[in-house]
Amino acid sequence: EKGGFASFMDKEIHDQPHAVADTLLGRTDAAGRLVLDDLRIDESVLRSVDKIVVIACGTAAYAGHVAKYAIEHWCRIPVEVELAHEFRYRDPVVGPRTLVVAISQSGETMDTLMAVRHAREQGAKVLAICNTHGSTIPRESDAVLYTHAGPEIAVASTKAFLSQITATYLLGLYLAQLRGNKFPDEIRDILEQLRQMPDKIQQVLDRADHVRATARDMAGTSSVLFLGRHVGFPVALEGALKLKELAYIHAEGFAAGELKHGPIALIEEGQAVFVVVPSPRGRDSLHSKVISNIQEIRARGARTLVIAEDGDDDVLPYADEVFFVPQCPTLLSPLLATVPLQVFACELATARGLDVDQPRNLAKSVTVE
Ligand code: BG6
């Protein structure tokens, strides 16, 4: 059932083009307008939403971090992202015009479920983004948008993450369509770009030998840092989480802009640092700022492992290794940049002789608070 792969994790990483394609499937009508049939939430309610709060745990929360950038840009609705267990024990300011989006692969995470109940008690509408039909969180929510990643067996999340990001994009574009924030042509355009992402994810997988060789080479490493900016920031956090979960290596993700405010003190000879570089075709200042960060850490002896867009030659002078990914719009880039980091963690843990499907101390779905 592992389909010829050494682990479920490896199989699920390779399932990602399908997970994203299937999550996009059947969600537009003949005229190219988004139709989210399973949403079961009144359009007038969605039109009146004045704040979105995403609640989730672990990898699912990082999908929420990515969503914030896209939804705020497309819909001009403020989006907060909060760990479910923190939200639950605050006195959050939510009300009938707040849309709470609960993201959960399993639909059974107790922390997230309790936060859903807490939100509904305050009068908020809750929309679940979930991968498991009939699970508790969608049953207790006002509405549900299912991800179609298929069953995820490995404890550490991979394909569910990319499909969660995809689902939040659909939600953002749907809200933009309903509220008239974007012209229909623009929405159709972004959807078309989204439909090209499964092929591009496949290209990243087809080129993954270099990442695997680097991971094997680094099997003895004791600490890896991850830097990213804009949507690359949650990608960095997810890359660090994967490495902790699978390889039991100290790993930390930072916003690249934060480097000079503290983390740069950690840089010493041989410290491995992954850097997720924004597209040079996006906001130019961001690209050059991250290139400067790479320069700064390299000058202090860091081993720089760079994820950059095809054609971005600016990274070459400062990178020990470069993992190129295909070009795509900046907001969609987490669907590509995450993949080498997943492959890296999986391969490095395997090289250390660890069970990547069942990491120590972790459970696939944590059903206690
Ligand atoms: C953790 C899992 O315990 O729960 C993570 O190990 C997962 O992989 C997190 O991201 C949240 O789980 P779920 O099912 O709510 O998405």
Side-chain angles (χ1 to χ4, degrees):
E1 71 244 23
K2 291 180 193 161
F5 291 95
S7 61
F8 282 109
M9 168 110 194
D10 199 19
K11 172 178 183 289
E12 288 162 8
I13 288 173
H14 285 84
D15 275 350
Q16 292 184 115
H18 288 295
V20 170
D22 290 351
T23 300
L24 291 171
L25 206 65
R27 279 168 164 163
T28 41
D29 64 15
R33 284 177 63 82
L34 267 167
V35 274
L36 299 184
D37 279 341
D38 40 359
L39 217 53
R40 304 187 319 250
I41 202 166
D42 207 77
E43 288 192 2
S44 64
V45 172
L46 292 176
R47 275 200 197 90
S48 73
V49 164
D50 65 3
K51 180 166 86 165
I52 293 174
V53 181
V54 180
I55 49 174
C57 302
T59 292
Y62 295 147
H65 278 267
V66 172
K68 174 182 168 75
Y69 292 86
I71 296 178
E72 288 188 339
H73 181 71
W74 292 331
C75 307
R76 310 307 301 145
I77 305 171
V79 180
E80 291 171 17
V81 187
E82 191 158 13
L83 294 168
H85 33 91
E86 286 297 320
F87 175 87
R88 158 89 176 83
Y89 289 100
R90 281 197 304 121
D91 189 7
V93 183
V94 298
R97 295 180 68 188
T98 310
L99 180 66
V100 169
V101 177
I103 307 180
S104 174
Q105 188 285 130
S106 63
E108 301 296 346
T109 299
M110 186 56 77
D111 286 323
T112 308
L113 175 61
M114 297 309 277
V116 164
R117 290 181 182 159
H118 191 53
R120 295 192 76 197
E121 278 160 17
Q122 324 288 314
K125 291 278 180 233
V126 178
L127 163 71
I129 290 182
C130 187
N131 197 45
T132 313
H133 277 262
S135 57
T136 312
I137 289 170
R139 272 195 280 118
E140 292 209 14
S141 299
D142 296 286
V144 58
L145 179 57
Y146 280 110
T147 49
H148 296 153
E152 192 179 61
I153 310 290
V155 166
S157 183
T158 54
K159 64 177 180 172
F161 180 60
L162 293 204
S163 69
Q164 284 159 353
I165 293 174
T166 305
T168 64
Y169 290 164
L170 288 173
L171 174 65
L173 292 171
Y174 183 68
L175 290 173
Q177 172 181 286
L178 266 186
R179 300 157 64 99
N181 294 89
K182 284 249 171 269
F183 293 112
D185 286 356
E186 288 180 72
I187 295 177
R188 259 194 295 271
D189 244 28
I190 303 167
L191 278 171
E192 185 41 45
Q193 300 272 9
L194 255 177
R195 285 196 198 92
Q196 294 174 18
M197 294 310 283
D199 279 346
K200 294 182 181 182
I201 297 167
Q202 188 58 51
Q203 290 176 43
V204 178
L205 293 168
D206 292 343
R207 304 177 190 178
D209 279 348
H210 180 199
V211 191
R212 277 190 285 264
T214 307
R216 286 193 297 272
D217 185 46
M218 290 174 61
T221 295
S222 57
S223 162
V224 183
L225 305 180
F226 294 75
L227 297 179
R229 193 156 181 153
H230 192 262
V231 285
F233 173 34
V235 170
L237 296 174
E238 172 62 5
L241 179 61
K242 287 285 89 80
L243 198 60
K244 282 177 218 175
E245 288 179 310
L246 297 173
Y248 320 146
I249 286 177
H250 169 255
E252 241 183 299
F254 298 104
E258 196 64 7
L259 190 66
K260 59 182 172 301
H261 301 294
I264 198 163
L266 292 169
I267 306 297
E268 58 190 11
E269 196 58 39
Q271 170 69 54
V273 187
F274 264 100
V275 185
V276 182
V277 178
S279 167
R281 299 169 306 112
R283 281 191 208 160
D284 185 45
S285 61
L286 277 193
H287 176 259
S288 55
K289 283 183 167 138
V290 175
I291 300 284
S292 307
N293 292 144
I294 305 175
Q295 242 174 302
E296 285 155 8
I297 57 174
R298 188 93 175 310
R300 288 164 178 80
R303 176 172 189 199
T304 56
L305 310 159
V306 173
I307 297 176
E309 196 181 82
D310 279 341
D312 183 0
D313 293 342
D314 296 345
V315 302
L316 295 174
Y318 314 111
D320 290 298
E321 308 292 340
V322 191
F323 310 106
F324 283 111
V325 297
Q327 296 185 350
C328 73
T330 298
L331 286 171
L332 309 189
S333 63
L335 295 174
L336 302 182
T338 305
V339 177
L341 300 180
Q342 298 168 333
V343 172
F344 179 80
C346 185
E347 186 73 13
L348 196 149
T350 305
R352 284 164 83 97
L354 302 172
D355 179 350
V356 292
D357 288 338
Q358 298 278 351
R360 69 183 181 198
N361 307 341
L362 297 177
K364 181 69 185 154
S365 146
V366 182
T367 52
V368 291
E369 254 193 287

